[in-house]
Amino acid sequence: MQISTTPTIELHRLHRLFGSTHAVNDISFEVHRGQVYGYIGPNGAGKTTSMRILSTLDLPTYGDAFVDGFSCINDPDRVRRRLGFMPDYFGTYANVNCWEYLDFFARAHGLVGRERSQALRRVMAFTGLNLLAEKPIRGLSKGMKQRLCLGRTLIHDPAVLILDEPAAGLDPRARIELREMIGQLAADGKTILVSSHILTELAEMCDRVGIIEQGRLLATGTVEEIQRQQSQASEVRVRVLGGAQALSQWLGAREDVEKIVLDGEYVNFAHAGVREAEVELLREMVVAGFAILEFGTHQTTLEDVFLQVTRGYVQ
Amino acid sequence: MSSLDSALKSTPNADSTQRETWWDRVEAVLERGSEWLNPILVKEARQALKSRQFVVTFTLLLLLGWVWTIFGVFLSAPGIFYGAEGKGMLFGYFLVLAVPLLVVVPFSAFRSLAAEREDGTYELISITALNARQIVSGKLGSAVLQMMVYFSALAPCVAFTYLLRGVDIFSIFFVLYYTFLVSLLLSTFALLVATASRSRQWQSLLSVLLLLVLLFVGGMWITFIYSSLYENIWRADLWEFWAVQGFLLTNFVMFFMLFLWAAGAQISFPSDNRSTRMRYIMFLHQAFFIGWMVYFTIAIDNEPELAIVSIVVGCIYWGVLGALLIGEYPQLSPRVRRELPQSFLGRMTWTWFNPGSGTGYIFTSLNISFFAVACLVMLSIPDHLVQSYTLTIATSIAPTVATSSPVIDWVPAFTNQFASNFRESSFVILAAAYVVAYLGVSRLMVLLARQVASVGLMFSLLITIFFAIAGAALPWIFQFWLFNYRNEGYTILQVTNWAWTLEETADGNIWNHWPSPVGVLLGALVIFLVNLILTAGEVAQVRIAAPQRVQDEQLTLHPVKPKRNSPWDDEKPASSNA
């Protein structure tokens, strides 16, 4: 994917204090056009606060946030034209049906006439709400309400989407559908900042992630990049025919191997080095006469990275 | 093609096969008309007209209207055929209307905005293209719509009262007109109250207080309307009546705008300029008020009491608003600084309209001083300028002006009048000095408090009230304690006691204790000067340029047309074929 040089979202040394609580502590990162950035952290880590600052709902104590080059503090109206925010609550009205609800937000975004009716039809088709247009919001399921809220976020076709826990409380089917929708929007070139507790889903949809705890951004980048930042060693598991003990002794003599554990036919160890070094290690094992049945490195998941990076502190 | 567009393409258009009915066409026209309306109003109308509260209120209103029609007619029979029963019937219908208009509608406006803030939907609206004032206006529009529906429902009944004898069309009009204005002002006030706090506890407390205020004002208004109908005050044939209508309407519009802007300012984005527009309104309000007072003095009645009433009203007005203005923070966001005046004259004049505690204090002090000067001018207007109260201002002054020399006739006349009203003039000057002094001390306290904590408008208001009460009560208590609880009369100890000092001034005895008024004036001057020096930092703010990104977008949205130097310059760029 072609990445533009100017970031669409930029947080620059952002701080937010609530009394003595440092909810957001010196956070800086950038998201470029068309990227999906996953924002991960335990409850109370500062995700929602920084998302609210980006959405022009709160002011930082220090620092600034920018959307498409416009300051969220000094040019909120310009930011708002470019931004769609989906908070972690529904924000619906009583005595209003789905069409009326979306129509209101379309009007509030300044859409008029044909432009508004087109936007309404487009969003209802995208979120699959066509058949529920006349249905009162009160009677919608949680999944449908979430679709409606996504529709509200998209009604003015913003270039940037801020989605705070969009999959919270949804059933597996609704989650998959939501993930697909986010994927489609990213493919359209929208820049998306999404927070979630469901890490497996984030891993599938995000280009990059940021891990936040106690208001601090502990790591940012792709999952692989963060994993590499955290540890230079990769976990290797080798199955050897009739020589596990010998292999473990052979490995113990090497400087690039540590944490060797024997497990029946398997030998697990940590290997410091890049992929090419792993290939070389395998070749050396075979040359040394070991009958290697399996040689694999453990695939690091977002969950592994998250658990490695965070300490479970809550403020 | 984006995924949104492709989703639309893949969805069959159900409507395309159906024929358009006449109702569809009406709906399309209405839809086009609604484009001009505030989106909040459209949403609120859809919501409110389906709400249980509206249905219940409307049904009760209709039922009570019918019940009163039947009951009232039976009660008045057989006199209704030849007696003057219109007033009684009208008052009955007014009572039926009063509850929804004076209590239900304002309270619903309050709940409507408070609920948006409690439920978080306000946040969703605030990040749309609507600004805070549009949101508040939309809510108010919805309240007006409900009022109109209630008025319409009882319109036939009200028309019926005109058919009965005893009530004229002007009385009916003014009863309904003023009830509408009062309801509108209460609704605006209720919206302002709704913006005061986001916390549920405060909202609950505020809702109870607001309900009490609405019930009190409603009760007072009902009493007033009853007496107005039976004392026949709606005298459209009198010229002063229309002058008073103009005065009331001006004040209504000013308070209405003040409440509306204040409500909008309360919920606007923190980096917005929340103060300057409100200061414009206050300034304009004062100008209109002074204009009306001078007009009444010249055209109607040259009584010095009018100046006294005016300065008392002015002191309360500026005392309350000044107490809020001194609680503002002086830091201007870069967004606000982009719009600061640039020229020396502009900075001299408009700096006092910028947000900030110091500018707020100086703004208030200058205004109350200006108000006092206006009152002194009112007290100096010679009696012979005011000829007959039935004449208008132009016919009153014009002959006098035309036949007199300003220097020979006017200056002695004005100074003589001023000298004869010395007691009232002293009252005016001292009252204004007390406002300047107390607000100045409160502002110094606000500055001190800000060294240790973050304090705002509520603190400055409370500290001013505290100082005003303590400044009056403590010397009074101290003096009584000093003289063994015997009343020894006014002494110099009461210099901070504005109530007693002004009472002595009104009685004409204050100059017997001359150190006291001199002390008040000197004190006010010193406090003003100290505050003026401390305001230097706020005045030093200068305009900054908008960032390049903003300027670029501004140019894209509003491109500057190239200047034509001659009639032969083509507006459009020449094409390659030309």
Side-chain angles (χ1 to χ4, degrees):
Chain A
M1 185 188 293
Q2 190 81 24
I3 293 177
S4 64
T5 49
T6 317
T8 314
I9 296 175
E10 184 187 357
L11 270 71
H12 181 71
R13 307 212 64 176
L14 208 66
H15 290 258
R16 182 68 171 101
L17 287 151
F18 293 107
S20 59
T21 308
H22 215 138
V24 175
N25 191 350
D26 201 14
I27 286 186
S28 302
F29 65 82
E30 294 176 354
V31 189
H32 290 263
R33 186 173 180 272
Q35 281 190 340
V36 182
Y37 189 92
Y39 211 27
I40 315 163
N43 288 331
K47 301 187 299 288
T48 301
T49 307
S50 38
M51 284 178 141
R52 284 172 58 81
I53 291 171
L54 255 177
S55 308
T56 72
L57 288 171
D58 197 4
L59 278 183
T61 314
Y62 314 107
D64 203 348
F66 298 88
V67 170
D68 202 13
F70 293 107
S71 159
C72 292
I73 304 172
N74 295 312
D75 297 293
D77 12 348
R78 289 172 206 274
V79 169
R80 286 165 185 173
R81 280 205 294 270
R82 291 161 167 81
L83 183 128
F85 175 52
M86 186 170 159
D88 55 355
Y89 54 85
F90 291 127
T92 52
Y93 292 106
N95 302 315
V96 168
N97 65 33
C98 296
W99 182 86
E100 288 171 338
Y101 183 75
L102 291 175
D103 179 66
F104 163 61
F105 279 97
R107 285 170 191 266
H109 278 290
L111 303 178
V112 290
R114 199 172 173 75
E115 195 187 7
R116 192 178 77 242
S117 56
Q118 281 285 336
L120 277 166
R121 287 177 54 210
R122 208 169 49 211
V123 160
M124 290 196 123
F126 180 72
T127 52
L129 289 166
N130 306 39
L131 300 174
L132 303 172
E134 300 294 324
K135 190 164 182 177
I137 296 176
R138 202 185 300 164
L140 293 181
S141 66
K142 200 167 188 178
M144 282 298 151
K145 272 188 186 163
Q146 203 71 326
R147 278 167 177 262
L148 183 69
C149 293
L150 182 64
R152 178 196 65 219
T153 312
L154 293 170
I155 196 78
H156 60 301
D157 199 15
V160 176
L161 293 172
I162 313 278
L163 312 175
D164 192 4
E165 304 283 352
L170 298 186
D171 62 41
R173 175 175 285 277
R175 277 183 198 168
I176 292 165
E177 286 168 353
L178 186 76
R179 197 174 66 208
E180 283 171 0
M181 281 193 254
I182 291 173
Q184 285 171 16
L185 292 167
D188 290 346
K190 295 198 187 300
T191 310
I192 302 172
L193 176 65
V194 55
S195 76
S196 178
H197 285 134
I198 303 150
L199 302 183
T200 47
E201 280 186 11
L202 272 188
E204 283 179 43
M205 68 170 102
C206 294
D207 301 307
R208 294 171 69 228
V209 293
I211 300 175
I212 178 174
E213 189 175 40
Q214 282 192 304
R216 285 182 179 277
L217 190 67
L218 302 177
T220 183
T222 60
V223 175
E224 289 79 25
E225 282 170 354
I226 295 173
Q227 203 271 334
R228 244 178 274 144
Q229 283 168 18
Q230 293 305 309
S231 157
Q232 291 297 312
S234 53
E235 288 175 27
V236 182
R237 184 174 170 83
V238 179
R239 188 176 174 199
V240 60
L241 197 64
Q245 186 68 42
L247 179 63
S248 66
Q249 282 169 1
W250 183 83
L251 286 169
R254 292 178 67 97
E255 282 186 355
D256 57 349
V257 171
E258 55 183 10
K259 296 180 188 170
I260 303 161
V261 180
L262 253 173
D263 181 13
E265 283 188 328
Y266 289 92
V267 182
N268 300 318
F269 58 91
H271 177 246
V274 290
R275 285 183 176 188
E276 289 74 18
E278 283 166 15
V279 174
E280 183 61 26
L281 176 67
L282 174 61
R283 198 186 62 76
E284 284 178 25
M285 282 182 194
V286 174
V287 169
F290 294 107
I292 307 295
L293 282 173
E294 288 173 25
F295 182 97
T297 50
H298 175 65
Q299 282 289 318
T300 312
T301 63
L302 188 55
E303 275 176 355
D304 297 328
V305 170
F306 181 74
L307 290 173
Q308 269 177 29
V309 172
T310 58
R311 296 286 172 268
Y313 297 134
V314 178
Q315 58 179 354
Chain B
M1 183 188 291
S2 75
S3 44
L4 288 169
D5 291 322
S6 53
L8 180 61
K9 287 259 174 189
S10 61
T11 311
N13 190 352
D15 299 336
S16 58
T17 52
Q18 289 172 4
R19 269 189 75 184
E20 199 179 39
T21 63
W22 68 272
W23 180 244
D24 292 332
R25 284 195 287 274
V26 171
E27 220 171 21
V29 171
L30 290 174
E31 187 74 12
R32 275 199 295 277
S34 73
E35 304 285 3
W36 298 91
L37 299 174
N38 185 319
I40 301 271
L41 171 61
V42 177
K43 188 266 289 181
E44 292 276 315
R46 284 173 178 157
Q47 238 186 319
L49 299 182
K50 279 189 263 178
S51 74
R52 191 179 299 168
Q53 171 259 315
F54 176 77
V55 171
V56 169
T57 313
F58 188 72
T59 313
L60 273 175
L61 181 89
L62 277 182
L63 271 175
L64 287 171
W66 293 336
V67 165
W68 175 240
T69 307
I70 297 162
F71 187 69
V73 167
F74 272 107
L75 211 67
S76 310
I80 199 162
F81 297 107
Y82 46 82
E85 302 295 338
K87 275 181 190 164
M89 288 300 286
L90 179 64
F91 185 70
Y93 292 128
F94 165 76
L95 275 182
V96 173
L97 264 176
V99 177
L101 288 183
L102 302 176
V103 180
V104 177
V105 171
F107 195 75
S108 323
F110 166 82
R111 276 307 309 154
S112 168
L113 189 54
E116 296 262 19
R117 301 190 85 206
E118 284 168 13
D119 301 343
T121 47
Y122 174 75
E123 292 192 333
L124 301 177
I125 309 171
S126 70
I127 55 171
T128 65
L130 295 174
N131 60 38
R133 191 176 47 81
Q134 284 174 308
I135 294 169
V136 177
S137 315
K139 296 279 174 192
L140 194 64
S142 163
V144 172
L145 183 73
Q146 287 186 58
M147 286 179 216
M148 289 298 136
V149 171
Y150 296 141
F151 270 123
S152 313
L154 277 198
C157 301
V158 174
F160 167 65
T161 60
Y162 182 60
L163 299 177
L164 305 172
R165 277 169 291 273
V167 64
D168 61 307
I169 192 86
F170 280 109
S171 298
I172 295 174
F173 171 76
F174 279 108
V175 166
L176 298 182
Y177 163 73
Y178 274 110
T179 305
F180 170 73
L181 290 191
V182 170
S183 177
L184 190 60
L185 201 60
L186 285 175
S187 301
T188 321
F189 177 71
L191 287 170
L192 175 61
V193 174
T195 62
S197 175
R198 280 185 68 175
S199 99
R200 277 180 192 269
Q201 291 87 343
W202 271 104
Q203 286 288 356
S204 308
L205 180 68
L206 286 174
S207 64
V208 173
L209 290 175
L210 177 71
L211 200 60
L212 290 174
V213 169
L214 294 177
L215 289 171
F216 175 75
V217 174
M220 295 290 284
W221 189 248
I222 288 169
T223 316
F224 170 74
I225 289 295
Y226 181 81
S227 53
S228 78
L229 279 173
Y230 286 94
E231 286 169 22
N232 206 20
I233 68 160
W234 310 112
R235 296 287 304 278
D237 53 323
L238 294 180
W239 170 80
E240 303 98 308
F241 174 79
W242 293 106
V244 171
Q245 298 315 305
F247 170 74
L248 291 175
L249 190 62
T250 313
N251 280 292
F252 166 80
V253 171
M254 288 295 131
F255 273 117
F256 170 76
M257 284 174 68
L258 197 63
F259 289 162
L260 197 65
W261 280 108
Q266 286 272 86
I267 55 173
S268 65
F269 192 63
S271 72
D272 279 347
N273 184 346
R274 296 173 163 185
S275 186
T276 300
R277 282 204 177 88
M278 288 181 60
R279 293 189 192 194
Y280 289 151
I281 297 169
M282 292 173 204
F283 183 74
L284 205 63
H285 193 176
Q286 159 158 295
F288 277 124
F289 189 86
I290 290 171
W292 276 112
M293 286 301 121
V294 173
Y295 177 71
F296 285 137
T297 304
I298 295 173
I300 297 180
D301 198 354
N302 194 23
E303 291 298 325
E305 283 77 13
L306 201 56
I308 300 292
V309 171
S310 297
I311 195 69
V312 169
V313 170
C315 285
I316 294 169
Y317 184 84
W318 286 114
V320 174
L321 294 178
L324 293 168
L325 289 178
I326 60 170
E328 286 182 357
Y329 274 90
Q331 287 83 14
L332 301 186
S333 67
R335 176 184 167 80
V336 176
R337 287 172 61 196
R338 285 179 205 162
E339 292 164 358
L340 290 182
Q342 270 178 305
S343 68
F344 178 73
L345 191 67
R347 290 183 64 189
M348 278 289 286
T349 320
W350 300 110
T351 293
W352 313 115
F353 289 86
N354 291 343
S357 168
T359 59
Y361 173 71
I362 303 295
F363 175 78
T364 310
S365 300
L366 291 178
N367 273 294
I368 192 67
S369 306
F370 181 62
F371 203 106
V373 169
C375 289
L376 294 178
V377 170
M378 282 162 66
L379 289 167
S380 312
I381 295 172
D383 281 333
H384 68 272
L385 267 183
V386 185
Q387 293 180 339
S388 164
Y389 69 86
T390 53
L391 296 179
T392 63
I393 190 164
T395 54
S396 165
I397 295 177
T400 320
V401 172
T403 56
S404 63
S405 158
V407 180
I408 298 166
D409 299 342
W410 282 49
V411 173
F414 271 88
T415 43
N416 287 343
Q417 187 74 17
F418 181 76
S420 69
N421 287 331
F422 184 69
R423 191 181 52 151
E424 288 80 3
S425 304
S426 303
F427 185 94
V428 166
I429 293 168
L430 284 176
Y434 270 120
V435 173
V436 171
Y438 272 101
L439 286 178
V441 172
S442 303
R443 176 170 181 255
L444 295 177
M445 277 308 296
V446 168
L447 295 183
L448 265 177
R450 281 191 181 155
Q451 302 295 318
V452 288
S454 165
V455 294
L457 305 190
M458 192 50 79
F459 177 82
S460 64
L461 181 68
L462 292 177
I463 201 82
T464 308
I465 293 171
F466 169 77
F467 277 134
I469 294 171
L474 290 182
W476 184 76
I477 293 166
F478 181 68
Q479 185 174 315
F480 270 66
W481 170 77
L482 205 64
F483 297 122
N484 290 325
Y485 306 99
R486 282 181 285 112
N487 185 7
E488 290 292 322
Y490 186 86
T491 65
I492 182 73
L493 284 173
Q494 302 303 322
V495 67
T496 62
N497 188 343
W498 50 273
W500 201 347
T501 306
L502 290 177
E503 191 196 336
E504 285 290 303
T505 314
D507 291 342
N509 303 325
I510 197 65
W511 292 102
N512 299 335
H513 314 275
W514 64 269
S516 183
V518 170
V520 172
L521 294 175
L522 282 177
L525 186 68
V526 169
I527 291 165
F528 177 79
L529 288 175
V530 169
N531 275 285
L532 186 66
I533 292 163
L534 292 173
T535 308
E538 289 181 36
V539 181
Q541 301 269 18
V542 288
R543 180 190 274 222
I544 55 166
Q548 194 56 45
R549 182 75 181 92
V550 175
Q551 291 181 27
D552 291 346
E553 195 191 48
Q554 204 62 27
L555 265 180
T556 315
L557 293 173
H558 311 285
V560 180
K561 285 186 179 175
K563 200 177 173 184
R564 296 178 75 188
N565 294 318
S566 77
W568 292 277
D569 284 351
D570 200 348
E571 274 191 40
K572 293 175 187 171
S575 69
S576 55
N577 299 339

